[in-house]
Amino acid sequence: MMAKYDPEAGFRRLTGILGWIVTILLLSFSLYQLYTSTLDRFSPQVHRSIHLGFALSLAFLLFPASKKKKAKDAKRKFQITWLDGLLASLSVVVGLYWPFNINELVQRVGRLETMDLLVGVLAIVLVLEATRRVVGLPITIIAVVFLSYAYLGPIMPGFLQHRGIGIERIIRTMFFTTEGILGTPLKVSSTFIFLFLLFGAFLMKTGVGQYFNDLAVALTGRRTGGPAKVAIFSSALQGTISGSSVANVVTSGSFTIPMMKKLGYRKDFAGAVEAAASTGGQLMPPIMGAAAFLMVEFIGGGITYWEIAKAAAIPALLYFTGIWIMTHFQAKKIGLRGLSKEEMPDRKEVLKKIYLLAPIFVVVILLMSGRSVTSAALWSIVSCIVVGAINKDTRMGPKDYAEALINGARTAIGVATATACAGIIVGVVTLTGLGLKMAGGLIDLSNGILFFTLFFTMVASIILGMGSPTTANYVITATIAAPALLALNIPELSAHMFVFYFGIIADITPPVALAAFAAAGVSGGEPLRTGVNSAKLAIAAFIIPYIFVYSPELMMIDTTWDQTLWIVFTSVLGMIAIGAAMIGYWMRKTHWVERILSLGAGIMLIYPEGFTDLLGLAVFLGLFALQYFIKFNESEQKPQSAGA
């Protein structure tokens, strides 16, 4: 199921001598990254080149050229071919070219010889093919289109036209500067992201992944529609670390979706709950699927990780509040119960293991205290080992350490290839000024009106984000879509968070809703209906970004604590109202007029402005009173009717 919807999960399971070779390479990849983050630092080009070489060679050894084989070729799919071996060997050459030739390359100051050009072309081709194999076609096609655009500038229409970039200059930018493949995206992959992927692998080895599910069941299982709330709680925790909507859907969903179906939720709705919650995990601090660390680099200007995590907190809270409320109203609407006492785990036993969450608190505290991201990640890995040692069931032995290092490196292959491919896109934008051209085009299309610019940017971000992993997704939208908002003097953090949100929810936005389709595969539901339900449950993600652009107070920018508490209070009420409008139920089924009023009240309550808060609160209280009294009268009349 995972391999069907998530290309990164479709790797070969090799045995024999080839299996040992790949295992040694994966271990070496992780050990190299740990070494460079603690003891030694190479020059940026050398370090990123070695990181790329590891990722590319492993990509060709682990991922087949085609995953669509006939039944009789099934075994061949998991065997390394001569072409895979050749491409892996060439990847080693590319990875070691900078380390072995750095002095000559620096002395030539951008002047390339024939061998340089050949290696540069090879690097571009290998990155594109490795990305296609590991991540999928969408981002690969975008990169190819951008490379073509760089060369074919003179024949492009309208504002997209430019003088055209020569082949040699394209190659030089892509591999012999830090503006292309070896640029900022790969920089973040080779430093912060790899360590946090390793942190995630160690977390899973200490049993924290299963504990997320156990804790979610213990805390929410008995409540109305309990399994849906279990899915929301556990997926929010897992998604922020995993950075993959699809992987999160399949791993968490295999546990939560059958529970929801058994309780009485429709297949399409059960899958939608898991898809929306798993996708939202990437919007959840502290890690945000690793995008938070990229955002620090892209925004620059001295912005800290803590500022980004703080800004993302209230929007993420509202996102999950919306899903929680809507699943609750849906359960009430169709009369669903929670789990029975017999279906519940022993709460005391579950809470005894609460110490397993300590590594997550360690990373949050260290990042909040101003420690470097690298230091926070390393100490978090250490805390996993310490926490795991407390109980013999979670204590790690040499084999567990090796497996964690191997799993972390294997996960990093997809991130490294995707960020290298995204670097090609960034390089073309730098060469051609496409970001500013796109910004001008979107502004002209919207006639300079902010709302319409936001709308067109939203559409562009959703399209660009389809089928791309979180890290590459953010790089693409930040490079192509965000400049339009920055051109209208929107604060940088608001602009970047806006495109990030819409790039992420592309995973649950039909027609290409990979997370929803994966959930439908688990639930047995209809994919498109599951996608529509997912988008409905995630309605907050379609509303909130507009609000924090118009009013950055929602991101705790320039607010006091008392203002923040008021914003949280009114916004949560707003999500209750929006949830009632989307489901058509509050204390009873709502009339279509009530649904419209409820939606309007919800938006006014979320918008952090004094007048809108008061007006929204008045409508909210009026609707609440109306619902309560009608419900009360209906309950009073039922006994009388029964007595008559």
Side-chain angles (χ1 to χ4, degrees):
M1 179 64 66
M2 184 95 77
K4 181 178 179 181
Y5 294 101
D6 185 3
E8 293 179 48
F11 58 87
R12 296 175 171 120
R13 276 71 174 174
L14 297 170
T15 57
I17 189 168
L18 287 175
W20 278 105
I21 290 171
V22 170
T23 298
I24 291 168
L25 277 173
L26 288 166
L27 277 171
S28 301
F29 194 9
S30 285
L31 292 173
Y32 165 75
Q33 291 291 154
L34 288 171
Y35 172 75
T36 53
S37 62
T38 53
L39 299 175
D40 198 3
R41 299 288 172 90
F42 297 121
S43 69
Q45 293 95 327
V46 168
H47 174 56
R48 297 173 202 176
S49 182
I50 294 172
H51 178 81
L52 179 67
F54 267 118
L56 292 179
S57 57
L58 285 164
F60 292 118
L61 293 175
L62 279 172
F63 292 84
S66 174
K67 298 178 177 64
K68 294 180 180 179
K69 296 280 186 180
K70 295 179 181 178
K72 64 180 181 180
D73 295 330
K75 288 186 178 178
R76 290 177 58 196
K77 183 173 68 172
F78 295 103
Q79 293 175 352
I80 294 176
T81 66
W82 68 267
L83 180 61
D84 297 327
L86 175 62
L87 294 176
S89 301
L90 292 173
S91 298
V92 174
V93 172
V94 167
L96 295 177
Y97 196 74
W98 263 102
F100 279 93
N101 298 281
I102 184 168
N103 292 330
E104 292 85 351
L105 290 170
V106 170
Q107 287 171 7
R108 287 204 294 269
V109 196
R111 183 172 50 82
L112 301 185
E113 296 183 349
T114 303
M115 181 57 68
D116 301 332
L117 292 171
L118 289 174
V119 172
V121 170
L122 191 59
I124 295 170
V125 172
L126 290 174
V127 166
L128 291 172
E129 171 58 11
T131 305
R132 184 193 68 81
R133 291 188 181 203
V134 182
V135 182
L137 270 174
I139 184 175
T140 311
I141 292 171
I142 292 173
V144 171
V145 168
F146 270 68
L147 283 171
S148 303
Y149 170 74
Y151 183 71
L152 300 174
I155 63 171
M156 297 304 290
F159 69 87
L160 293 174
Q161 191 175 86
H162 63 89
R163 290 184 299 174
I165 310 297
I167 297 291
E168 183 175 336
R169 189 179 172 196
I170 291 173
I171 295 169
R172 183 169 63 247
T173 302
M174 290 304 137
F175 192 65
F176 295 99
T177 71
T178 54
E179 299 290 337
I181 291 171
L182 303 181
T184 298
L186 197 68
K187 169 192 172 184
V188 180
S189 169
S190 64
T191 50
F192 315 139
I193 295 178
F194 191 99
L195 292 177
F196 273 95
L197 293 174
L198 212 53
F199 169 53
F202 273 88
L203 272 181
M204 295 303 108
K205 271 295 166 186
T206 54
V208 173
Q210 180 57 44
Y211 185 68
F212 284 154
N213 289 335
D214 294 341
L215 182 63
V217 173
L219 295 178
T220 63
R222 292 295 299 275
R223 301 179 181 277
T224 302
K229 293 170 182 174
V230 170
I232 297 165
F233 191 90
S234 62
S235 297
L237 291 173
Q238 290 198 27
T240 187
I241 296 168
S242 74
S244 170
S245 304
V246 175
N248 199 11
V249 164
V250 177
T251 51
S252 297
S254 60
F255 169 71
T256 59
I257 290 174
M259 278 202 305
M260 285 188 270
K261 287 169 61 181
K262 183 180 177 182
L263 187 67
Y265 281 109
R266 298 189 321 274
K267 294 176 183 179
D268 300 331
F269 192 85
V273 171
E274 181 58 52
S278 292
T279 301
Q282 295 161 92
L283 308 173
M284 172 70 75
I287 299 172
M288 297 165 64
F293 311 124
L294 277 165
M295 214 172 282
V296 170
E297 296 293 326
F298 268 77
I299 295 177
I303 193 168
T304 63
Y305 163 84
W306 168 238
E307 289 177 272
I308 289 171
K310 185 179 75 169
I314 293 178
L317 170 68
L318 297 182
Y319 180 90
F320 283 102
T321 299
I323 301 174
W324 186 285
I325 290 296
M326 281 184 259
T327 56
H328 178 79
F329 286 157
Q330 181 70 15
K332 287 282 190 182
K333 184 178 180 179
I334 59 179
L336 300 184
R337 59 171 179 84
L339 295 176
S340 65
K341 189 175 182 180
E342 292 73 26
E343 294 171 306
M344 290 285 291
D346 187 329
R347 183 175 291 190
K348 288 183 179 178
E349 289 300 315
V350 172
L351 293 178
K352 279 181 183 177
K353 296 181 181 179
I354 196 74
Y355 63 86
L356 287 173
L357 298 181
I360 296 175
F361 289 104
V362 167
V363 71
V364 173
I365 291 168
L366 288 175
L367 289 170
M368 286 175 59
S369 66
R371 295 290 289 270
S372 71
V373 175
T374 301
S375 173
L378 289 169
W379 280 110
S380 299
I381 293 170
V382 172
S383 71
C384 285
I385 297 169
V386 173
V387 164
I390 294 174
N391 190 304
K392 65 179 182 180
D393 294 332
T394 58
R395 195 171 297 142
M396 296 176 68
K399 184 181 177 182
D400 296 311
Y401 289 124
E403 287 180 354
L405 292 170
I406 289 167
N407 292 339
R410 188 188 294 119
T411 306
I413 295 169
V415 176
T417 53
T419 50
C421 192
I424 291 175
I425 297 167
V426 174
V428 172
V429 170
T430 303
L431 277 173
T432 62
L434 180 61
L436 293 176
K437 292 175 184 290
M438 287 292 292
L442 286 172
I443 292 170
D444 288 343
L445 188 63
S446 61
N447 203 27
I449 299 170
L450 178 56
F451 177 81
F452 291 119
T453 305
L454 290 173
F455 176 78
F456 292 130
T457 304
M458 174 191 76
V459 173
S461 298
I462 290 174
I463 293 171
L464 291 168
M466 287 178 176
S468 298
T470 302
T471 46
N473 188 325
Y474 168 68
V475 171
I476 295 168
T477 54
T479 306
I480 305 301
L485 304 184
L486 297 175
L488 293 178
N489 297 319
I490 303 254
E492 274 199 282
L493 184 52
S494 298
H496 280 259
M497 202 70 79
F498 183 92
V499 298
F500 172 59
Y501 255 68
F502 286 112
I504 292 300
I505 61 171
D507 279 347
I508 51 173
T509 305
V512 184
L514 292 183
F517 292 172
V522 178
S523 70
E526 203 280 315
L528 192 58
R529 286 180 186 167
T530 302
V532 171
N533 279 316
S534 297
K536 186 168 76 171
L537 287 169
I539 187 66
F542 291 90
I543 296 172
I544 291 169
Y546 284 88
I547 293 173
F548 62 55
V549 166
Y550 280 104
S551 188
E553 290 88 349
L554 195 65
M555 300 168 70
M556 289 192 277
I557 296 175
D558 298 328
T559 57
T560 59
W561 280 109
D562 57 326
Q563 290 173 323
T564 300
L565 289 173
W566 176 252
I567 288 169
V568 171
F569 171 70
T570 56
S571 297
V572 168
L573 291 182
M575 285 315 306
I576 293 172
I578 289 173
M582 299 306 296
I583 300 298
Y585 189 92
W586 199 335
M587 296 176 208
R588 48 175 280 282
K589 287 186 178 180
T590 54
H591 190 269
W592 67 268
V593 175
E594 291 176 292
R595 294 179 74 167
I596 293 172
L597 289 172
S598 188
L599 181 63
I603 293 172
M604 286 189 286
L605 282 164
I606 293 173
Y607 188 81
E609 191 73 36
F611 174 74
T612 57
D613 282 347
L614 292 175
L615 184 57
L617 189 59
V619 177
F620 179 92
L621 292 174
L623 289 169
F624 179 86
L626 179 65
Q627 286 274 314
Y628 177 80
F629 285 120
I630 293 175
K631 180 74 173 177
F632 179 77
N633 288 334
E634 287 175 350
S635 62
E636 285 289 308
Q637 290 170 8
K638 282 181 182 178
Q640 294 175 10
S641 300

